[in-house]
PDB file of all heavy atoms in Angstrom:
ATOM      1  N   LEU A 153       3.121  -1.886 -15.505  1.00 98.00           N
ATOM      2  CA  LEU A 153       2.085  -2.739 -14.915  1.00 98.00           C
ATOM      3  C   LEU A 153       2.002  -2.410 -13.430  1.00 98.00           C
ATOM      4  O   LEU A 153       3.004  -2.484 -12.717  1.00 98.00           O
ATOM      5  CB  LEU A 153       2.464  -4.221 -15.118  1.00 98.00           C
ATOM      6  CG  LEU A 153       1.600  -5.258 -14.384  1.00 98.00           C
ATOM      7  CD1 LEU A 153       0.139  -5.179 -14.809  1.00 98.00           C
ATOM      8  CD2 LEU A 153       2.149  -6.673 -14.625  1.00 98.00           C
ATOM      9  N   LEU A 154       0.807  -2.035 -12.995  1.00 98.00           N
ATOM     10  CA  LEU A 154       0.592  -1.689 -11.587  1.00 98.00           C
ATOM     11  C   LEU A 154      -0.281  -2.783 -10.973  1.00 98.00           C
ATOM     12  O   LEU A 154      -1.391  -3.040 -11.456  1.00 98.00           O
ATOM     13  CB  LEU A 154      -0.116  -0.336 -11.466  1.00 98.00           C
ATOM     14  CG  LEU A 154       0.401   0.803 -12.372  1.00 98.00           C
ATOM     15  CD1 LEU A 154      -0.413   2.073 -12.157  1.00 98.00           C
ATOM     16  CD2 LEU A 154       1.887   1.067 -12.126  1.00 98.00           C
ATOM     17  N   ILE A 155       0.221  -3.431  -9.949  1.00 98.00           N
ATOM     18  CA  ILE A 155      -0.550  -4.515  -9.313  1.00 98.00           C
ATOM     19  C   ILE A 155      -0.798  -4.103  -7.862  1.00 98.00           C
ATOM     20  O   ILE A 155       0.151  -3.897  -7.095  1.00 98.00           O
ATOM     21  CB  ILE A 155       0.216  -5.859  -9.363  1.00 98.00           C
ATOM     22  CG1 ILE A 155       0.633  -6.186 -10.811  1.00 98.00           C
ATOM     23  CG2 ILE A 155      -0.641  -6.982  -8.799  1.00 98.00           C
ATOM     24  CD1 ILE A 155       1.430  -7.486 -10.961  1.00 98.00           C
ATOM     25  N   THR A 156      -2.078  -3.975  -7.529  1.00 98.00           N
ATOM     26  CA  THR A 156      -2.393  -3.379  -6.222  1.00 98.00           C
ATOM     27  C   THR A 156      -3.164  -4.350  -5.328  1.00 98.00           C
ATOM     28  O   THR A 156      -3.861  -5.234  -5.806  1.00 98.00           O
ATOM     29  CB  THR A 156      -3.202  -2.083  -6.408  1.00 98.00           C
ATOM     30  OG1 THR A 156      -4.308  -2.353  -7.272  1.00 98.00           O
ATOM     31  CG2 THR A 156      -2.346  -0.981  -6.987  1.00 98.00           C
ATOM     32  N   PRO A 157      -3.038  -4.149  -3.999  1.00 98.00           N
ATOM     33  CA  PRO A 157      -3.697  -5.038  -3.046  1.00 98.00           C
ATOM     34  C   PRO A 157      -5.102  -4.525  -2.678  1.00 98.00           C
ATOM     35  O   PRO A 157      -5.496  -3.428  -3.088  1.00 98.00           O
ATOM     36  CB  PRO A 157      -2.767  -4.949  -1.842  1.00 98.00           C
ATOM     37  CG  PRO A 157      -2.280  -3.532  -1.887  1.00 98.00           C
ATOM     38  CD  PRO A 157      -2.205  -3.138  -3.324  1.00 98.00           C
ATOM     39  N   TRP A 158      -5.783  -5.311  -1.857  1.00 98.00           N
ATOM     40  CA  TRP A 158      -7.168  -4.970  -1.490  1.00 98.00           C
ATOM     41  C   TRP A 158      -7.254  -4.109  -0.239  1.00 98.00           C
ATOM     42  O   TRP A 158      -8.305  -3.572   0.062  1.00 98.00           O
ATOM     43  CB  TRP A 158      -7.979  -6.264  -1.266  1.00 98.00           C
ATOM     44  CG  TRP A 158      -7.264  -7.269  -0.404  1.00 98.00           C
ATOM     45  CD1 TRP A 158      -6.554  -8.350  -0.839  1.00 98.00           C
ATOM     46  CD2 TRP A 158      -7.140  -7.273   1.029  1.00 98.00           C
ATOM     47  NE1 TRP A 158      -5.997  -9.030   0.236  1.00 98.00           N
ATOM     48  CE2 TRP A 158      -6.349  -8.389   1.388  1.00 98.00           C
ATOM     49  CE3 TRP A 158      -7.635  -6.433   2.038  1.00 98.00           C
ATOM     50  CZ2 TRP A 158      -6.037  -8.686   2.716  1.00 98.00           C
ATOM     51  CZ3 TRP A 158      -7.312  -6.726   3.360  1.00 98.00           C
ATOM     52  CH2 TRP A 158      -6.524  -7.838   3.678  1.00 98.00           C
ATOM     53  N   ASN A 159      -6.153  -3.974   0.518  1.00 98.00           N
ATOM     54  CA  ASN A 159      -6.311  -3.353   1.841  1.00 98.00           C
ATOM     55  C   ASN A 159      -6.539  -1.840   1.798  1.00 98.00           C
ATOM     56  O   ASN A 159      -7.216  -1.283   2.652  1.00 98.00           O
ATOM     57  CB  ASN A 159      -5.131  -3.718   2.762  1.00 98.00           C
ATOM     58  CG  ASN A 159      -3.796  -3.298   2.216  1.00 98.00           C
ATOM     59  OD1 ASN A 159      -3.658  -2.952   1.041  1.00 98.00           O
ATOM     60  ND2 ASN A 159      -2.777  -3.326   3.058  1.00 98.00           N
ATOM     61  N   PHE A 160      -5.977  -1.174   0.779  1.00 98.00           N
ATOM     62  CA  PHE A 160      -6.261   0.253   0.561  1.00 98.00           C
ATOM     63  C   PHE A 160      -6.608   0.379  -0.923  1.00 98.00           C
ATOM     64  O   PHE A 160      -5.746   0.725  -1.744  1.00 98.00           O
ATOM     65  CB  PHE A 160      -5.054   1.127   0.922  1.00 98.00           C
ATOM     66  CG  PHE A 160      -4.744   1.154   2.393  1.00 98.00           C
ATOM     67  CD1 PHE A 160      -3.913   0.210   2.974  1.00 98.00           C
ATOM     68  CD2 PHE A 160      -5.308   2.125   3.215  1.00 98.00           C
ATOM     69  CE1 PHE A 160      -3.637   0.213   4.332  1.00 98.00           C
ATOM     70  CE2 PHE A 160      -5.039   2.144   4.580  1.00 98.00           C
ATOM     71  CZ  PHE A 160      -4.205   1.187   5.141  1.00 98.00           C
ATOM     72  N   PRO A 161      -7.860   0.085  -1.281  1.00 98.00           N
ATOM     73  CA  PRO A 161      -8.203  -0.080  -2.704  1.00 98.00           C
ATOM     74  C   PRO A 161      -8.010   1.183  -3.543  1.00 98.00           C
ATOM     75  O   PRO A 161      -7.836   1.087  -4.754  1.00 98.00           O
ATOM     76  CB  PRO A 161      -9.690  -0.450  -2.672  1.00 98.00           C
ATOM     77  CG  PRO A 161     -10.000  -0.817  -1.274  1.00 98.00           C
ATOM     78  CD  PRO A 161      -8.987  -0.156  -0.385  1.00 98.00           C
ATOM     79  N   LEU A 162      -8.033   2.362  -2.899  1.00 98.00           N
ATOM     80  CA  LEU A 162      -7.816   3.588  -3.667  1.00 98.00           C
ATOM     81  C   LEU A 162      -6.386   4.111  -3.492  1.00 98.00           C
ATOM     82  O   LEU A 162      -5.715   4.443  -4.480  1.00 98.00           O
ATOM     83  CB  LEU A 162      -8.833   4.667  -3.236  1.00 98.00           C
ATOM     84  CG  LEU A 162      -8.859   5.931  -4.102  1.00 98.00           C
ATOM     85  CD1 LEU A 162      -9.192   5.605  -5.559  1.00 98.00           C
ATOM     86  CD2 LEU A 162      -9.875   6.936  -3.554  1.00 98.00           C
ATOM     87  N   ALA A 163      -5.915   4.168  -2.265  1.00 98.00           N
ATOM     88  CA  ALA A 163      -4.608   4.796  -2.013  1.00 98.00           C
ATOM     89  C   ALA A 163      -3.445   4.035  -2.652  1.00 98.00           C
ATOM     90  O   ALA A 163      -2.471   4.645  -3.110  1.00 98.00           O
ATOM     91  CB  ALA A 163      -4.375   4.940  -0.509  1.00 98.00           C
ATOM     92  N   MET A 164      -3.549   2.699  -2.680  1.00 98.00           N
ATOM     93  CA  MET A 164      -2.436   1.944  -3.275  1.00 98.00           C
ATOM     94  C   MET A 164      -2.399   2.138  -4.791  1.00 98.00           C
ATOM     95  O   MET A 164      -1.350   1.987  -5.417  1.00 98.00           O
ATOM     96  CB  MET A 164      -2.528   0.458  -2.917  1.00 98.00           C
ATOM     97  CG  MET A 164      -2.377   0.158  -1.442  1.00 98.00           C
ATOM     98  SD  MET A 164      -0.852   0.796  -0.703  1.00 98.00           S
ATOM     99  CE  MET A 164      -1.375   2.364  -0.017  1.00 98.00           C
ATOM    100  N   VAL A 165      -3.563   2.503  -5.374  1.00 98.00           N
ATOM    101  CA  VAL A 165      -3.591   2.782  -6.820  1.00 98.00           C
ATOM    102  C   VAL A 165      -3.042   4.181  -7.097  1.00 98.00           C
ATOM    103  O   VAL A 165      -2.166   4.357  -7.954  1.00 98.00           O
ATOM    104  CB  VAL A 165      -5.037   2.649  -7.368  1.00 98.00           C
ATOM    105  CG1 VAL A 165      -5.067   3.034  -8.837  1.00 98.00           C
ATOM    106  CG2 VAL A 165      -5.549   1.225  -7.178  1.00 98.00           C
ATOM    107  N   THR A 166      -3.508   5.168  -6.356  1.00 98.00           N
ATOM    108  CA  THR A 166      -3.061   6.534  -6.660  1.00 98.00           C
ATOM    109  C   THR A 166      -1.568   6.713  -6.368  1.00 98.00           C
ATOM    110  O   THR A 166      -0.902   7.520  -7.017  1.00 98.00           O
ATOM    111  CB  THR A 166      -3.867   7.579  -5.864  1.00 98.00           C
ATOM    112  OG1 THR A 166      -3.774   7.248  -4.474  1.00 98.00           O
ATOM    113  CG2 THR A 166      -5.328   7.591  -6.293  1.00 98.00           C
ATOM    114  N   ARG A 167      -1.053   5.971  -5.392  1.00 98.00           N
ATOM    115  CA  ARG A 167       0.377   6.070  -5.066  1.00 98.00           C
ATOM    116  C   ARG A 167       1.229   5.656  -6.270  1.00 98.00           C
ATOM    117  O   ARG A 167       2.288   6.220  -6.521  1.00 98.00           O
ATOM    118  CB  ARG A 167       0.659   5.167  -3.868  1.00 98.00           C
ATOM    119  CG  ARG A 167       2.071   5.159  -3.436  1.00 98.00           C
ATOM    120  CD  ARG A 167       2.192   5.008  -1.962  1.00 98.00           C
ATOM    121  NE  ARG A 167       2.142   3.630  -1.546  1.00 98.00           N
ATOM    122  CZ  ARG A 167       2.087   3.259  -0.259  1.00 98.00           C
ATOM    123  NH1 ARG A 167       2.038   4.162   0.690  1.00 98.00           N
ATOM    124  NH2 ARG A 167       2.063   2.004   0.051  1.00 98.00           N
ATOM    125  N   LYS A 168       0.736   4.658  -7.023  1.00 98.00           N
ATOM    126  CA  LYS A 168       1.473   4.205  -8.214  1.00 98.00           C
ATOM    127  C   LYS A 168       1.091   5.045  -9.425  1.00 98.00           C
ATOM    128  O   LYS A 168       1.948   5.512 -10.181  1.00 98.00           O
ATOM    129  CB  LYS A 168       1.155   2.735  -8.498  1.00 98.00           C
ATOM    130  CG  LYS A 168       1.612   1.794  -7.393  1.00 98.00           C
ATOM    131  CD  LYS A 168       1.317   0.347  -7.755  1.00 98.00           C
ATOM    132  CE  LYS A 168       1.474  -0.602  -6.582  1.00 98.00           C
ATOM    133  NZ  LYS A 168       2.752  -0.581  -5.889  1.00 98.00           N
TER     134      LYS A 168
END
Side-chain angles (χ1 to χ4, degrees):
L153 171 60
L154 316 179
I155 306 179
T156 51
W158 47 261
N159 59 346
F160 292 88
L162 189 59
M164 295 304 95
V165 176
T166 55
R167 179 146 84 187
K168 296 182 192 305

